[in-house]
Amino acid sequence: MFVVSLIEAAVPLATLALRGLTFLFVRHHPIGKLYLRNIYLSFLVYISGLAAVTLSKPRRQAWWAVLALGLVDRRRPRLSLLTVLLNILSLTAVLDFLYRGELFHRSHDLSFSRVGYVDETTSRVVLRAPLQHSTRVEMTISLTDATPISKQVMPVSESDDYTATFIFTDLVPDTEYIYVTNASHTGSFRTAPENPKRWSLASTSCIKPFYPYNPLDHGLRIKGFEHLADHYATEPFDMMLFLGDFIYIDLPVAHGWSRESYRRAYRQVYASPSWSSTLRSIPWVHVYDDHEIINDYHPAQDDNDALYQPAMAPFRAYQGAANPPSTFGAHKTHFTFHRGDVSFFVLDTRRHRSDQQLRDDGRKTMLGLEQRADLDRWLAEEKRWKVVVSSVPFTRNWQGPDKNDSWAGYLWERDWVLERMKATEGVVILSGDRHEHATTIFPAHSASQKPVIEFSTSPLSQFFESFARHHQEVDPATDLSVHNWPWGSSKFGIASFDTTDPRVFRLRYRLIVDGKLNWEYDWTMTRSTWP
């Protein structure tokens, strides 16, 4: 009798756990290792308990208990069947969320094109073309009056997943071009003005297709793409700066670590029905971060680059080849570019970093000695207004369990870099990664210094922490919190630059959350000397 009572008590507990954890997993926090074991266990307990209760002497149950707690009342067969189906559907939703893309959207036949980095006279266009009867793709660009001005032919092969990056040079500034290929691609891009004084970019990071889960959605829908395109339609910006985690190879669960696994993840993002012609025509610059490889990646955990090499080959094919070329060396993954009076230094915060657990002193590094020296030289010599791009936040105001993966785990080097930033005419930092927004000022500590400001925004389309709040102002003397906004599954920032006065740098930053303006802020830097 005691055993039967115990089993009967397990049925409603298993039902509540199954339904609650399923809702949290597919709609709020898609981290498989946190939820899946308990979801599967709850379902097994429920089925086992249900069988035992069904074979025992029937008991009269209240209708609400049958529906809400998964109980069975033989005198209410339809209601009993419904509550059992609800629990089965809970598990089905989990499996659908995990495996629909993997089983039904491997996207081997994906064919697409998109615009990469564009400056005044050069444009990059990426395409994928799994051709049936040819190994070469021909692309022709024309002016809007359809006058052909340039043609290139590029090979495509399985080794690069049938991708190619076309680079067109000697173009005319501030001019619209149209491209066509023999693989049925068409698109357009506009070269940058020769010296723009007012322009804007969008920045964010982190994409997970099919989240938040809705069984009626396409298995590759990305709502953040739709918010981005809608905003561009009403308030166009000039370029997109994507700060990493374009794919999540390991969330909700890892489907493999082979080169093909990484390729498939890129194909699935580009195969999304949310990836519109509008987004394909915007110039994109891409940074990579940990989830393009594995969560919290650092080289010390990767024997013989067993993860790095399979992960980075698809990144280079789909993203990196369309970035600005690095002037620091042919194989360097940090680089600079400029638009008008604003210069950008894009950091690689993964390839050269030390183990997070090492003692935080002068030997622990995120950048590596060569990249740090390149950054130091750029800060000292660059005459334009400066923006440093980091995939992970500079602020140490996030104190959660992953704080050591950001610059908070590399404070010696962070302080070294910040001191050199403050010694210039001022620096803006753009970062992502934390699935929240935070604007932070790093104050000047002497008359010879200038404050530095960071705008950190993410995700474009991913989860946010529904309950845990990790952002807190640790010390306003070093990290002064201006604004923090953790909520929203889609966040991106619009940075609008104004350098019409050569002595003054004006930046207006607007935070867009789930497609709506959430907050805006103006930042000004003034030159102490005017060249």
Side-chain angles (χ1 to χ4, degrees):
M1 193 69 179
F2 173 75
V3 174
V4 173
S5 298
L6 190 63
I7 292 174
E8 288 179 339
V11 169
L13 291 176
T15 293
L16 293 174
L18 173 63
R19 295 178 184 177
L21 291 174
T22 294
F23 180 77
L24 287 174
F25 176 59
V26 303
R27 294 288 299 180
H28 289 283
H29 211 212
I31 300 178
K33 64 182 180 181
L34 194 62
Y35 294 101
L36 287 178
R37 180 182 298 177
N38 290 329
I39 288 173
Y40 296 150
L41 180 61
S42 297
F43 186 79
L44 288 175
V45 170
Y46 173 73
I47 293 298
S48 302
L50 188 65
V53 170
T54 303
L55 295 174
S56 66
K57 183 178 179 180
R59 295 188 180 185
R60 183 76 176 179
Q61 306 287 353
W63 69 267
W64 61 266
V66 174
L67 193 60
L69 302 179
L71 301 175
V72 170
D73 187 336
R74 296 175 191 172
R75 284 165 287 242
R76 293 189 173 95
R78 292 182 179 178
L79 200 61
S80 298
L81 179 61
L82 177 60
T83 196
V84 172
L85 286 176
L86 285 175
N87 282 7
I88 293 175
L89 286 174
S90 294
L91 181 62
T92 302
V94 170
L95 298 176
D96 185 34
F97 180 52
L98 290 176
Y99 297 109
R100 190 193 294 190
E102 179 68 13
L103 295 176
F104 302 110
H105 299 291
R106 299 173 79 87
S107 305
H108 288 295
D109 296 329
L110 170 68
S111 183
F112 79 95
S113 62
R114 72 162 180 92
V115 178
Y117 175 64
V118 177
D119 60 22
E120 298 91 335
T121 60
T122 306
S123 176
R124 288 164 169 77
V125 179
V126 183
L127 62 76
R128 184 177 193 268
L131 300 179
Q132 298 298 318
H133 306 294
S134 175
T135 59
R136 304 179 75 80
V137 177
E138 177 184 294
M139 179 179 290
T140 302
I141 64 169
S142 307
L143 297 173
T144 52
D145 63 2
T147 303
I149 62 169
S150 183
K151 181 173 71 175
Q152 288 185 25
V153 178
M154 294 282 288
V156 292
S157 66
E158 190 277 337
S159 63
D160 282 328
D161 205 24
Y162 304 103
T163 62
T165 298
F166 291 79
I167 303 176
F168 292 96
T169 59
D170 300 322
L171 304 179
V172 180
D174 199 15
T175 302
E176 187 85 10
Y177 291 90
I178 297 170
Y179 66 83
V180 296
T181 76
N182 62 337
S184 301
H185 304 109
T186 61
S188 64
F189 59 84
R190 189 174 193 89
T191 51
E194 196 157 0
N195 190 20
K197 299 299 181 182
R198 292 178 178 172
W199 64 280
S200 61
L201 62 78
S203 70
T204 186
S205 68
C206 307
I207 293 174
K208 175 65 181 79
F210 205 28
Y211 174 83
Y213 172 77
N214 182 334
L216 302 180
D217 280 347
H218 188 282
L220 299 179
R221 184 183 183 187
I222 300 171
K223 286 188 176 181
F225 274 165
E226 297 169 17
H227 292 313
L228 192 65
D230 289 344
H231 186 87
Y232 183 86
T234 57
E235 297 182 54
F237 45 88
D238 296 280
M239 64 180 294
M240 182 72 202
L241 185 59
F242 198 85
L243 304 176
D245 296 342
F246 191 80
I247 64 169
Y248 271 74
I249 195 66
D250 48 359
L251 287 181
V253 295
H255 294 300
W257 306 102
S258 67
R259 182 173 296 192
E260 171 57 22
S261 300
Y262 290 101
R263 288 173 172 176
R264 183 167 60 252
Y266 285 102
R267 292 199 303 265
Q268 288 170 332
V269 174
Y270 284 116
S272 171
S274 308
W275 177 245
S276 65
S277 58
T278 297
L279 298 179
R280 291 195 295 270
S281 66
I282 299 171
W284 288 68
V285 172
H286 283 274
V287 182
Y288 77 94
D289 199 32
D290 54 338
H291 289 286
E292 277 94 350
I293 308 172
I294 192 174
N295 186 43
D296 293 350
Y297 175 83
H298 57 85
Q301 72 186 106
D302 188 13
D303 292 338
N304 298 316
D305 286 347
L307 287 172
Y308 184 83
Q309 294 301 340
M312 290 306 292
F315 173 81
R316 284 189 289 268
Y318 280 92
Q319 322 281 57
N323 279 341
S326 178
T327 58
F328 303 110
H331 301 291
K332 299 297 184 182
T333 46
H334 59 284
F335 56 90
T336 63
F337 68 94
H338 75 272
R339 191 178 183 99
D341 301 316
V342 186
S343 181
F344 295 78
F345 192 111
V346 180
L347 300 172
D348 181 344
T349 66
R350 290 292 164 187
R351 181 56 173 161
H352 310 291
R353 67 162 59 195
S354 306
D355 190 328
Q356 297 177 15
Q357 306 307 317
L358 293 179
R359 181 180 177 182
D360 195 358
D361 57 22
R363 291 170 295 180
K364 185 180 182 182
T365 178
M366 182 178 286
L367 302 180
L369 296 180
E370 289 187 24
Q371 182 177 197
R372 194 167 73 194
D374 291 337
L375 175 62
D376 187 23
R377 187 161 47 253
W378 177 83
L379 288 170
E381 297 176 358
E382 176 58 69
K383 302 304 181 185
R384 299 178 181 91
W385 299 106
K386 301 175 187 67
V387 177
V388 171
V389 178
S390 172
S391 64
V392 294
F394 260 79
T395 183
R396 61 186 177 126
N397 285 341
W398 274 298
Q399 291 292 302
D402 290 333
K403 71 174 185 178
N404 286 336
D405 186 60
S406 71
W407 283 92
Y410 299 77
L411 288 178
W412 184 93
E413 187 172 56
R414 183 194 89 135
D415 292 344
W416 186 94
V417 171
L418 281 173
E419 287 302 303
R420 279 149 181 79
M421 289 182 179
K422 294 175 185 180
T424 73
E425 298 291 349
V427 175
V428 172
I429 301 170
L430 297 177
S431 66
D433 180 63
R434 290 309 302 262
H435 297 201
E436 298 188 14
H437 169 82
T439 294
T440 309
I441 293 175
F442 307 99
H445 293 137
S446 69
S448 62
Q449 292 184 334
K450 292 292 182 70
V452 172
I453 191 167
E454 176 182 40
F455 299 97
S456 185
T457 301
S458 180
L460 178 59
S461 203
Q462 242 297 18
F463 72 91
F464 66 96
E465 293 288 351
S466 303
F467 309 108
R469 298 277 70 84
H470 299 308
H471 188 276
Q472 54 184 306
E473 189 176 66
V474 175
D475 183 356
T478 62
D479 296 64
L480 177 63
S481 179
V482 177
H483 183 68
N484 169 238
W485 188 266
W487 301 279
S489 297
S490 175
K491 294 188 280 289
F492 56 89
I494 303 293
S496 299
F497 304 100
D498 184 346
T499 59
T500 50
D501 183 341
R503 296 166 296 185
V504 181
F505 176 80
R506 293 184 174 88
L507 187 156
R508 169 162 290 187
Y509 192 89
R510 290 174 293 159
L511 174 64
I512 312 299
V513 178
D514 293 331
K516 298 180 180 178
L517 178 64
N518 174 272
W519 178 76
E520 57 185 340
Y521 186 75
D522 290 319
W523 178 254
T524 301
M525 298 186 295
T526 304
R527 294 188 189 275
S528 55
T529 60
W530 184 24

